[in-house]
Amino acid sequence: TSTFMRVRLEFSGGLELLFNKVKHHEPVLEGRDSIPFGELLVWIQKNLLQERPELFMSGDSVRPGILVLINETDWEIMGGHKYVVQDGDSLVFISTLHGG
Amino acid sequence: MSDPLCSVHFNEVILKRFKNMMMRLKETESANAPPAPVTVDGRPPRRNKREMDKVLLAFSGGMCSRALLHLVNECVGNAKRKKIFFDVSILYIDESAIHDSDDGEAILAQITSITQQHEFPLVVAKLEDVYQSDSARSSRDQLRALLRGATTLSASEDVLQHTRQLLMHQVAVGLGRDRVLLGTSANRIAASIITSTARGRGGNAVPVDQSFSSSQGHFPTTFFRPMKDFLLKEIALYSRVNHLECIPIPTLGTMRGPKASMDLLTETFVERLQSEFPHTVHTLIKSAEKLQGATIADDQGACPICFTPFTHAERRKAQLASRVPAAVDACSSNSSSCGSSCGSGDNASTGGCCGGNGCGGKSSPVPDASLASLRSVACYGCQIMLKEVSSPAPSAPPAMAQRAHRIMSKADMRREIGDYILEEAEDR
């Protein structure tokens, strides 16, 4: 079967520097129609992150100080790292570290 | 805010909280306001709420100051709601001299396009203006030498912070605006409480840096922190909801890793705690609010580098500062110009004019003092920082050297006539 899913990712607040200065990514993940958040993070680290993983991730999750929005909603309302990402979801990662 | 809010309500809540801060600002008297006359029935008259208070908004292009700018505009400019009366100018500090990138022009263009949306006039000051030199290249070189002189990232961050603060004072004085708005968030304040304490500034800087408003004795500028109760998360959400464009400008700590300096380390520490215990930042700030710093009676009671009030022990030490090596450094080789800059009247405490706005400058000739020579009259925290500055030390911004010299001159005077004066009380 040819299931796949597409997600829209955005990195901002300086995070884009770790992703070749590219803010928007729309990767296609083959062979599945949903993916747990933690697994998606691992996928991002393997396939999109160019350098300095410790500035993006901490253990299984994002580094504290990075705000995550799922479909423009605070991820804490959506279940945090337990959320299962669906086809078409948008995820925004905003670093608040050393901002402003 | 424990229940989820939709973005419209969220915006309203944030704006309401911010308006309260601006009202509080309006009611705070400036450091240099003349004493309010007393009315016939003995009570002070109420301030005219419609009076336009002049403020300078410090804008870095980053998320917090961007949100500050947007919120101030909502309070001041929105015709639908009740207005709060402020006359706002924006200050952007161009720090491109200390960064290797060529992006200076491009960044400035972005800054300008953002500020133009809000119709507040923009003032651009270069960080190297603290050197007040006739040659732009000389100022840039001196600034670069200053930052390079710091051998640790922590010390560079300290030096940069104090230099920025000095420039803000100078620009504010030059523009006749005695109030500066900073976008400092709650998280930043919480982390700085820990960092400052670890760097030896717990007694004097912490009470100042966490306060809603801080002014120091006879210095004419009051700094306000109307974002001090806003978490970074709230600011980020507000920014997102209102589609605010911000410019992550490279700073000293960019891409250096979470342990490269005290600041970065405590930021990581606080954020990690905050993610598991969401009251961390709030608790840190409430604890620090209980601290009472020293108050200073005159500008001799403040560190010439970071401007925070001396503790009693530091003040006594500054009074005993030895004269000879410092005086040789503090006065330039031209001894006649030294006479006019020592103890000179109103400009000495502000280090002269900003110079950056073509106002000609009334400053007296500038003493050429190395940063290290200020050690004897610096606060404990700055002495720690100076230990991490290389030798030979870079030259200090003139305003700092002038302040240091005034403290030392006053100490000399006190020594010379010491036998003839009665003991002063501890608290003046």
Side-chain angles (χ1 to χ4, degrees):
Chain A
T1 57
S2 52
T3 40
F4 63 92
M5 58 180 293
R6 185 179 276 120
V7 289
R8 287 171 292 142
L9 303 175
E10 186 182 332
F11 302 100
S12 75
L15 274 181
E16 62 270 32
L17 295 175
L18 307 178
F19 295 89
N20 243 334
K21 299 196 182 172
V22 177
K23 278 192 174 183
H24 299 273
H25 301 253
E26 285 196 31
V28 174
L29 278 65
E30 308 273 350
R32 56 197 312 166
D33 57 7
S34 70
I35 182 171
F37 183 81
E39 274 184 51
L40 178 61
L41 273 188
V42 171
W43 188 96
I44 291 173
Q45 184 180 359
K46 260 201 225 150
N47 295 284
L48 295 178
L49 189 61
Q50 298 295 314
E51 55 182 315
R52 312 296 299 280
E54 77 278 12
L55 297 182
F56 178 62
M57 293 185 58
S58 171
D60 297 332
S61 190
V62 288
R63 188 178 170 207
I66 296 178
L67 174 64
V68 182
L69 299 180
I70 302 176
N71 299 325
E72 298 299 320
T73 305
D74 180 2
W75 71 322
E76 279 178 37
I77 301 173
M78 307 289 276
H81 58 269
K82 298 201 196 99
Y83 178 74
V84 178
V85 182
Q86 309 294 321
D87 177 34
D89 274 351
S90 101
L91 279 82
V92 183
F93 298 85
I94 307 172
S95 173
T96 63
L97 298 161
H98 254 74
Chain B
M1 285 203 308
S2 46
D3 296 323
L5 298 171
C6 72
S7 57
V8 171
H9 282 136
F10 173 75
N11 249 357
E12 283 176 6
V13 167
I14 296 291
L15 185 56
K16 179 148 190 249
R17 279 166 57 189
F18 187 78
K19 269 199 172 151
N20 287 340
M21 295 301 236
M22 292 302 276
M23 300 292 292
R24 209 171 138 188
L25 212 164
K26 200 110 178 74
E27 281 154 23
T28 308
E29 287 293 335
S30 313
N32 269 2
V38 175
T39 55
V40 173
D41 59 4
R43 279 180 290 156
R46 295 169 73 199
R47 291 192 73 216
N48 180 1
K49 288 216 167 91
R50 292 182 164 261
E51 204 179 300
M52 296 289 269
D53 285 330
K54 290 186 174 182
V55 299
L56 189 61
L57 192 153
F59 179 65
S60 68
M63 185 180 74
C64 295
S65 54
R66 180 70 188 93
L68 173 68
L69 178 55
H70 192 265
L71 283 163
V72 166
N73 191 64
E74 290 290 295
C75 288
V76 169
N78 197 326
K80 277 188 271 187
R81 302 171 207 241
K82 256 201 302 194
K83 278 205 259 192
I84 306 181
F85 293 87
F86 282 102
D87 169 344
V88 181
S89 282
I90 302 173
L91 168 64
Y92 170 67
I93 299 180
D94 180 347
E95 299 184 357
S96 52
I98 56 174
H99 296 300
D100 288 327
S101 68
D102 295 320
D103 294 339
E105 296 259 321
I107 290 175
L108 191 51
Q110 282 179 283
I111 296 280
T112 311
S113 87
I114 290 176
T115 58
Q116 272 167 359
Q117 294 169 31
H118 292 295
E119 296 177 1
F120 298 135
L122 172 67
V123 174
V124 178
K126 290 183 191 286
L127 190 59
E128 58 265 34
D129 287 348
V130 292
Y131 279 100
Q132 298 173 326
S133 159
D134 287 329
S135 141
R137 167 173 284 188
S138 165
S139 291
R140 266 202 309 273
D141 289 343
Q142 286 183 289
L143 178 68
R144 285 189 186 130
L146 178 69
L147 267 302
R148 269 201 311 265
T151 57
T152 63
L153 186 58
S154 298
S156 329
E157 285 170 348
D158 272 0
V159 167
L160 178 58
Q161 178 58 28
H162 301 141
T163 308
R164 264 189 205 138
Q165 191 181 229
L166 172 60
L167 183 66
M168 282 196 267
H169 272 300
Q170 291 179 332
V171 173
V173 166
L175 294 175
R177 285 168 188 263
D178 58 8
R179 296 161 184 234
V180 176
L181 302 192
L182 304 173
T184 321
S185 66
N187 301 56
R188 179 65 57 84
I189 290 179
S192 76
I193 289 167
I194 298 178
T195 308
S196 290
T197 307
R199 299 280 289 168
R201 299 181 187 279
N204 47 9
V206 172
V208 170
D209 293 341
Q210 63 79 39
S211 59
F212 171 70
S213 75
S214 58
S215 57
Q216 285 136 18
H218 287 212
F219 299 154
T221 315
T222 305
F223 285 102
F224 289 90
R225 301 171 187 82
M227 309 287 278
K228 67 165 288 212
D229 289 340
F230 291 86
L231 294 171
L232 279 174
K233 178 172 171 174
E234 294 174 319
I235 296 172
L237 284 168
Y238 182 82
S239 182
R240 184 80 190 175
V241 163
N242 291 284
H243 309 289
L244 301 183
E245 183 199 339
C246 45
I247 306 164
I249 299 194
T251 72
L252 298 175
T254 306
M255 299 289 279
R256 292 291 296 266
K259 293 184 189 172
S261 74
M262 279 302 311
D263 231 4
L264 292 168
L265 187 60
T266 55
E267 180 187 54
T268 301
F269 174 66
V270 170
E271 289 306 316
R272 193 178 289 265
L273 271 182
Q274 175 74 9
S275 69
E276 286 185 64
F277 308 101
H279 288 286
T280 300
V281 165
H282 179 85
T283 304
L284 273 166
I285 292 182
K286 286 298 167 200
S287 309
E289 271 176 9
K290 299 185 174 125
L291 291 172
Q292 261 188 323
T295 51
I296 50 171
D298 57 43
D299 62 358
Q300 261 74 41
C303 174
I305 301 174
C306 68
F307 311 167
T308 50
F310 285 137
T311 58
H312 281 306
E314 286 166 342
R315 183 198 280 242
R316 241 174 269 126
K317 186 167 185 290
Q319 287 172 352
L320 296 171
S322 67
R323 180 190 186 180
V324 177
V328 165
D329 276 319
C331 294
S332 71
S333 48
N334 181 356
S335 55
S336 62
S337 69
C338 176
S340 65
S341 71
C342 295
S344 60
D346 13 33
N347 270 338
S349 65
T350 59
C353 200
C354 63
N357 278 302
C359 44
K362 292 181 288 178
S363 55
S364 32
V366 154
D368 189 20
S370 82
L371 199 58
S373 71
L374 310 186
R375 180 177 290 131
S376 58
V377 289
C379 70
Y380 182 64
C382 285
Q383 285 176 32
I384 290 182
M385 173 186 78
L386 288 172
K387 281 189 191 152
E388 293 166 17
V389 170
S390 61
S391 172
S395 66
M400 293 182 189
Q402 278 168 355
R403 279 198 180 84
H405 194 78
R406 274 167 58 85
I407 298 173
M408 289 187 264
S409 306
K410 191 151 185 197
D412 295 339
M413 261 198 298
R414 200 174 276 120
R415 251 199 308 282
E416 283 178 24
I417 62 172
D419 291 335
Y420 303 98
I421 57 174
L422 301 171
E423 266 299 300
E424 291 174 15
E426 279 283 284
D427 302 318
R428 294 208 268 140

